Amino acid sequence: MLYRRHIGRVFAVCVRLLKDRDTAEDISQEAFVLAWKNLHKFRGDSAFGSWLYRIATNAALSQLRSQQQFLESLDSDETGALVPEYRESHDEQLGLETAISMLPDGARAVFVLFSIEGYTHDEISALLGVAVGSSKAQLHRARMLLRKILS
Amino acid sequence: MTDQNDDKMTDLELARQVRELDLEIQPDRDLWVGVQRKILDNPRKSAREKQFWMPYAVAASLLVAVSALLLNLFQLQQVDTVEGRMAGINQLEDEYVKARNPLVDEFTRVNHSLDRETKTELYRNLKIMAAAREKLEAEVRANPENTRLRELLIKLHEQELALLRQDFTRPSRSL
């Protein structure tokens, strides 16, 4: 069953991009419904999974874009404020998944898309509507913050 | 080890941890029920359903295109025909004027010696013929497709030119 085979990857990309599990569940459902509605557009020149994950990614990014703080986050290159605030309230060693969820929206989106989902900066630039340089800068920012959080 | 080396080590460690991340995360609840409900609420239109009108649209487009083409061709043909006929009328009149002008001079010279009354009668008849010609020319221009009118005009031209060629000073000539 297609749902059983793909829900794990679909939900993973949604929850990593959106951070909130409830919203990620809604968007995952929406991705499957969108895929069903647009099944006639699937040409079979890529794997069905890849096509479905792209739909899920677009749906999640669309949800992110509707949030003003996400748009502001894409323009920001601040790297210092987050970590001390977080470190003060967390004494235990953090996992990467949690650390990713602590990233600012823009940096998190680029990190998830580039480092986990395997998109190129050109593709991310098109998906997010930002310059390739901004995508690279956000990735650098994400890595720097993650190193600080995890160290 | 410097801070830069520490950072580099952490960067490599970060990359290792990213590689070890699970590609799949399962949601807390079964989402299929919601997916199914949404699909049933918004049934997908199949590609066939969406495109069933395509052949009709293509046929309609072709019909419009062919009709437009035929109409244009017909209009072009009409323009060509009308323009061709008008050009023919112009040519006919040009040839008539070219033939008439030297004959008028010759007619005046040859018949100069006629008596005043005869000349008056002669020019009155020529004037009537000229007026008739002008009316007929106007009719031919107004009805370029009417071949009968054109034939009459040609006949009138010939009669007028024949009259202008005559020498009325010789005996047994009368109007």
Side-chain angles (χ1 to χ4, degrees), chain A residues 64-65 67-78 104-107 138 141:
Chain A
L64 267 181
R65 270 192 226 100
Q67 301 166 8
Q68 183 60 30
Q69 64 184 41
F70 173 69
L71 300 174
E72 288 170 358
S73 168
L74 281 170
D75 292 332
S76 170
D77 57 358
E78 196 176 336
D105 289 341
Q138 290 295 337
R141 181 188 181 203

PDB file of all heavy atoms in Angstrom, chain A residues 64-65 67-78 104-107 138 141:
ATOM      1  N   LEU A  64       5.098  26.988   5.628  1.00  0.00           N
ATOM      2  CA  LEU A  64       6.118  27.826   6.274  1.00  0.00           C
ATOM      3  C   LEU A  64       6.079  29.253   5.747  1.00  0.00           C
ATOM      4  O   LEU A  64       6.213  30.212   6.498  1.00  0.00           O
ATOM      5  CB  LEU A  64       7.516  27.241   6.015  1.00  0.00           C
ATOM      6  CG  LEU A  64       8.093  26.271   7.048  1.00  0.00           C
ATOM      7  CD1 LEU A  64       9.486  25.824   6.623  1.00  0.00           C
ATOM      8  CD2 LEU A  64       8.159  26.905   8.438  1.00  0.00           C
ATOM      9  N   ARG A  65       5.930  29.347   4.431  1.00  0.00           N
ATOM     10  CA  ARG A  65       5.945  30.677   3.808  1.00  0.00           C
ATOM     11  C   ARG A  65       4.810  31.554   4.314  1.00  0.00           C
ATOM     12  O   ARG A  65       4.881  32.775   4.239  1.00  0.00           O
ATOM     13  CB  ARG A  65       5.852  30.541   2.288  1.00  0.00           C
ATOM     14  CG  ARG A  65       7.205  30.426   1.618  1.00  0.00           C
ATOM     15  CD  ARG A  65       7.089  30.593   0.118  1.00  0.00           C
ATOM     16  NE  ARG A  65       7.864  29.566  -0.546  1.00  0.00           N
ATOM     17  CZ  ARG A  65       7.376  28.459  -1.059  1.00  0.00           C
ATOM     18  NH1 ARG A  65       6.076  28.229  -1.021  1.00  0.00           N
ATOM     19  NH2 ARG A  65       8.143  27.573  -1.635  1.00  0.00           N
ATOM     20  N   GLN A  67       4.027  31.954   7.185  1.00  0.00           N
ATOM     21  CA  GLN A  67       4.401  32.522   8.480  1.00  0.00           C
ATOM     22  C   GLN A  67       5.422  33.645   8.267  1.00  0.00           C
ATOM     23  O   GLN A  67       6.471  33.426   7.669  1.00  0.00           O
ATOM     24  CB  GLN A  67       5.005  31.442   9.383  1.00  0.00           C
ATOM     25  CG  GLN A  67       4.049  30.275   9.631  1.00  0.00           C
ATOM     26  CD  GLN A  67       4.755  29.062  10.242  1.00  0.00           C
ATOM     27  OE1 GLN A  67       5.919  29.138  10.607  1.00  0.00           O
ATOM     28  NE2 GLN A  67       4.034  27.954  10.332  1.00  0.00           N
ATOM     29  N   GLN A  68       5.107  34.815   8.776  1.00  0.00           N
ATOM     30  CA  GLN A  68       5.962  35.983   8.580  1.00  0.00           C
ATOM     31  C   GLN A  68       7.365  35.745   9.146  1.00  0.00           C
ATOM     32  O   GLN A  68       8.359  36.140   8.563  1.00  0.00           O
ATOM     33  CB  GLN A  68       5.319  37.208   9.250  1.00  0.00           C
ATOM     34  CG  GLN A  68       6.076  38.505   9.050  1.00  0.00           C
ATOM     35  CD  GLN A  68       6.206  38.897   7.572  1.00  0.00           C
ATOM     36  OE1 GLN A  68       5.349  38.576   6.765  1.00  0.00           O
ATOM     37  NE2 GLN A  68       7.292  39.574   7.227  1.00  0.00           N
ATOM     38  N   GLN A  69       7.424  35.031  10.282  1.00  0.00           N
ATOM     39  CA  GLN A  69       8.726  34.836  10.931  1.00  0.00           C
ATOM     40  C   GLN A  69       9.661  33.991  10.065  1.00  0.00           C
ATOM     41  O   GLN A  69      10.870  34.125  10.132  1.00  0.00           O
ATOM     42  CB  GLN A  69       8.574  34.187  12.307  1.00  0.00           C
ATOM     43  CG  GLN A  69       7.995  32.782  12.279  1.00  0.00           C
ATOM     44  CD  GLN A  69       7.779  32.236  13.688  1.00  0.00           C
ATOM     45  OE1 GLN A  69       7.335  32.964  14.561  1.00  0.00           O
ATOM     46  NE2 GLN A  69       8.106  30.968  13.891  1.00  0.00           N
ATOM     47  N   PHE A  70       9.072  33.123   9.231  1.00  0.00           N
ATOM     48  CA  PHE A  70       9.897  32.318   8.335  1.00  0.00           C
ATOM     49  C   PHE A  70      10.562  33.213   7.290  1.00  0.00           C
ATOM     50  O   PHE A  70      11.749  33.099   7.019  1.00  0.00           O
ATOM     51  CB  PHE A  70       9.053  31.245   7.652  1.00  0.00           C
ATOM     52  CG  PHE A  70       9.805  30.480   6.585  1.00  0.00           C
ATOM     53  CD1 PHE A  70      10.844  29.619   6.928  1.00  0.00           C
ATOM     54  CD2 PHE A  70       9.482  30.617   5.251  1.00  0.00           C
ATOM     55  CE1 PHE A  70      11.543  28.914   5.951  1.00  0.00           C
ATOM     56  CE2 PHE A  70      10.175  29.919   4.274  1.00  0.00           C
ATOM     57  CZ  PHE A  70      11.200  29.069   4.619  1.00  0.00           C
ATOM     58  N   LEU A  71       9.779  34.119   6.728  1.00  0.00           N
ATOM     59  CA  LEU A  71      10.318  35.032   5.711  1.00  0.00           C
ATOM     60  C   LEU A  71      11.405  35.923   6.315  1.00  0.00           C
ATOM     61  O   LEU A  71      12.434  36.180   5.686  1.00  0.00           O
ATOM     62  CB  LEU A  71       9.190  35.876   5.112  1.00  0.00           C
ATOM     63  CG  LEU A  71       8.070  35.078   4.423  1.00  0.00           C
ATOM     64  CD1 LEU A  71       6.937  35.989   3.996  1.00  0.00           C
ATOM     65  CD2 LEU A  71       8.615  34.312   3.217  1.00  0.00           C
ATOM     66  N   GLU A  72      11.145  36.373   7.529  1.00  0.00           N
ATOM     67  CA  GLU A  72      12.156  37.211   8.203  1.00  0.00           C
ATOM     68  C   GLU A  72      13.401  36.399   8.508  1.00  0.00           C
ATOM     69  O   GLU A  72      14.529  36.890   8.388  1.00  0.00           O
ATOM     70  CB  GLU A  72      11.570  37.778   9.505  1.00  0.00           C
ATOM     71  CG  GLU A  72      10.520  38.855   9.261  1.00  0.00           C
ATOM     72  CD  GLU A  72       9.769  39.238  10.528  1.00  0.00           C
ATOM     73  OE1 GLU A  72      10.047  38.621  11.591  1.00  0.00           O
ATOM     74  OE2 GLU A  72       8.896  40.116  10.457  1.00  0.00           O
ATOM     75  N   SER A  73      13.188  35.147   8.883  1.00  0.00           N
ATOM     76  CA  SER A  73      14.300  34.277   9.239  1.00  0.00           C
ATOM     77  C   SER A  73      15.231  34.034   8.060  1.00  0.00           C
ATOM     78  O   SER A  73      16.438  33.889   8.217  1.00  0.00           O
ATOM     79  CB  SER A  73      13.750  32.942   9.749  1.00  0.00           C
ATOM     80  OG  SER A  73      14.763  31.992   9.845  1.00  0.00           O
ATOM     81  N   LEU A  74      14.646  34.000   6.845  1.00  0.00           N
ATOM     82  CA  LEU A  74      15.471  33.764   5.655  1.00  0.00           C
ATOM     83  C   LEU A  74      16.430  34.925   5.396  1.00  0.00           C
ATOM     84  O   LEU A  74      17.472  34.754   4.775  1.00  0.00           O
ATOM     85  CB  LEU A  74      14.573  33.558   4.437  1.00  0.00           C
ATOM     86  CG  LEU A  74      13.939  32.179   4.288  1.00  0.00           C
ATOM     87  CD1 LEU A  74      12.899  32.194   3.200  1.00  0.00           C
ATOM     88  CD2 LEU A  74      14.995  31.124   3.999  1.00  0.00           C
ATOM     89  N   ASP A  75      16.041  36.104   5.855  1.00  0.00           N
ATOM     90  CA  ASP A  75      16.896  37.277   5.640  1.00  0.00           C
ATOM     91  C   ASP A  75      17.924  37.452   6.752  1.00  0.00           C
ATOM     92  O   ASP A  75      18.853  38.238   6.622  1.00  0.00           O
ATOM     93  CB  ASP A  75      16.030  38.546   5.548  1.00  0.00           C
ATOM     94  CG  ASP A  75      15.189  38.529   4.286  1.00  0.00           C
ATOM     95  OD1 ASP A  75      15.629  37.909   3.306  1.00  0.00           O
ATOM     96  OD2 ASP A  75      14.092  39.107   4.296  1.00  0.00           O
ATOM     97  N   SER A  76      17.733  36.729   7.844  1.00  0.00           N
ATOM     98  CA  SER A  76      18.608  36.930   9.003  1.00  0.00           C
ATOM     99  C   SER A  76      19.849  36.047   8.922  1.00  0.00           C
ATOM    100  O   SER A  76      19.795  34.927   8.423  1.00  0.00           O
ATOM    101  CB  SER A  76      17.825  36.596  10.281  1.00  0.00           C
ATOM    102  OG  SER A  76      18.694  36.556  11.377  1.00  0.00           O
ATOM    103  N   ASP A  77      20.954  36.562   9.412  1.00  0.00           N
ATOM    104  CA  ASP A  77      22.158  35.728   9.492  1.00  0.00           C
ATOM    105  C   ASP A  77      22.690  35.679  10.928  1.00  0.00           C
ATOM    106  O   ASP A  77      23.843  35.371  11.168  1.00  0.00           O
ATOM    107  CB  ASP A  77      23.233  36.232   8.527  1.00  0.00           C
ATOM    108  CG  ASP A  77      23.590  37.678   8.802  1.00  0.00           C
ATOM    109  OD1 ASP A  77      22.964  38.276   9.716  1.00  0.00           O
ATOM    110  OD2 ASP A  77      24.480  38.201   8.125  1.00  0.00           O
ATOM    111  N   GLU A  78      21.833  35.999  11.870  1.00  0.00           N
ATOM    112  CA  GLU A  78      22.231  36.024  13.270  1.00  0.00           C
ATOM    113  C   GLU A  78      22.486  34.590  13.752  1.00  0.00           C
ATOM    114  O   GLU A  78      21.698  33.684  13.473  1.00  0.00           O
ATOM    115  CB  GLU A  78      21.113  36.655  14.104  1.00  0.00           C
ATOM    116  CG  GLU A  78      21.573  37.069  15.482  1.00  0.00           C
ATOM    117  CD  GLU A  78      20.464  37.773  16.250  1.00  0.00           C
ATOM    118  OE1 GLU A  78      19.556  38.315  15.607  1.00  0.00           O
ATOM    119  OE2 GLU A  78      20.525  37.755  17.485  1.00  0.00           O
ATOM    120  N   PRO A 104      16.548  28.341  13.771  1.00  0.00           N
ATOM    121  CA  PRO A 104      15.597  29.309  13.182  1.00  0.00           C
ATOM    122  C   PRO A 104      14.989  28.710  11.904  1.00  0.00           C
ATOM    123  O   PRO A 104      15.640  27.907  11.226  1.00  0.00           O
ATOM    124  CB  PRO A 104      16.480  30.521  12.852  1.00  0.00           C
ATOM    125  CG  PRO A 104      17.702  30.344  13.650  1.00  0.00           C
ATOM    126  CD  PRO A 104      17.908  28.889  13.863  1.00  0.00           C
ATOM    127  N   ASP A 105      13.777  29.118  11.588  1.00  0.00           N
ATOM    128  CA  ASP A 105      13.037  28.489  10.490  1.00  0.00           C
ATOM    129  C   ASP A 105      13.812  28.452   9.168  1.00  0.00           C
ATOM    130  O   ASP A 105      13.853  27.414   8.496  1.00  0.00           O
ATOM    131  CB  ASP A 105      11.711  29.228  10.269  1.00  0.00           C
ATOM    132  CG  ASP A 105      10.740  28.955  11.407  1.00  0.00           C
ATOM    133  OD1 ASP A 105      10.944  27.962  12.141  1.00  0.00           O
ATOM    134  OD2 ASP A 105       9.785  29.740  11.565  1.00  0.00           O
ATOM    135  N   GLY A 106      14.391  29.585   8.792  1.00  0.00           N
ATOM    136  CA  GLY A 106      15.093  29.661   7.507  1.00  0.00           C
ATOM    137  C   GLY A 106      16.281  28.724   7.447  1.00  0.00           C
ATOM    138  O   GLY A 106      16.451  27.966   6.488  1.00  0.00           O
ATOM    139  N   ALA A 107      17.093  28.773   8.497  1.00  0.00           N
ATOM    140  CA  ALA A 107      18.286  27.917   8.542  1.00  0.00           C
ATOM    141  C   ALA A 107      17.873  26.447   8.600  1.00  0.00           C
ATOM    142  O   ALA A 107      18.491  25.588   7.955  1.00  0.00           O
ATOM    143  CB  ALA A 107      19.133  28.279   9.764  1.00  0.00           C
ATOM    144  N   GLN A 138      22.442  30.471   4.730  1.00  0.00           N
ATOM    145  CA  GLN A 138      21.579  29.840   5.738  1.00  0.00           C
ATOM    146  C   GLN A 138      22.104  28.468   6.127  1.00  0.00           C
ATOM    147  O   GLN A 138      22.002  28.057   7.289  1.00  0.00           O
ATOM    148  CB  GLN A 138      20.143  29.724   5.213  1.00  0.00           C
ATOM    149  CG  GLN A 138      19.404  31.039   5.072  1.00  0.00           C
ATOM    150  CD  GLN A 138      19.179  31.732   6.411  1.00  0.00           C
ATOM    151  OE1 GLN A 138      19.180  31.114   7.473  1.00  0.00           O
ATOM    152  NE2 GLN A 138      19.046  33.055   6.370  1.00  0.00           N
ATOM    153  N   ARG A 141      24.937  29.043   8.440  1.00  0.00           N
ATOM    154  CA  ARG A 141      24.382  29.458   9.732  1.00  0.00           C
ATOM    155  C   ARG A 141      23.839  28.250  10.507  1.00  0.00           C
ATOM    156  O   ARG A 141      24.095  28.097  11.714  1.00  0.00           O
ATOM    157  CB  ARG A 141      23.250  30.454   9.459  1.00  0.00           C
ATOM    158  CG  ARG A 141      22.558  31.010  10.670  1.00  0.00           C
ATOM    159  CD  ARG A 141      21.347  31.813  10.211  1.00  0.00           C
ATOM    160  NE  ARG A 141      20.632  32.411  11.327  1.00  0.00           N
ATOM    161  CZ  ARG A 141      19.363  32.767  11.297  1.00  0.00           C
ATOM    162  NH1 ARG A 141      18.672  32.575  10.175  1.00  0.00           N
ATOM    163  NH2 ARG A 141      18.788  33.295  12.333  1.00  0.00           N
TER     164      ARG A 141
END
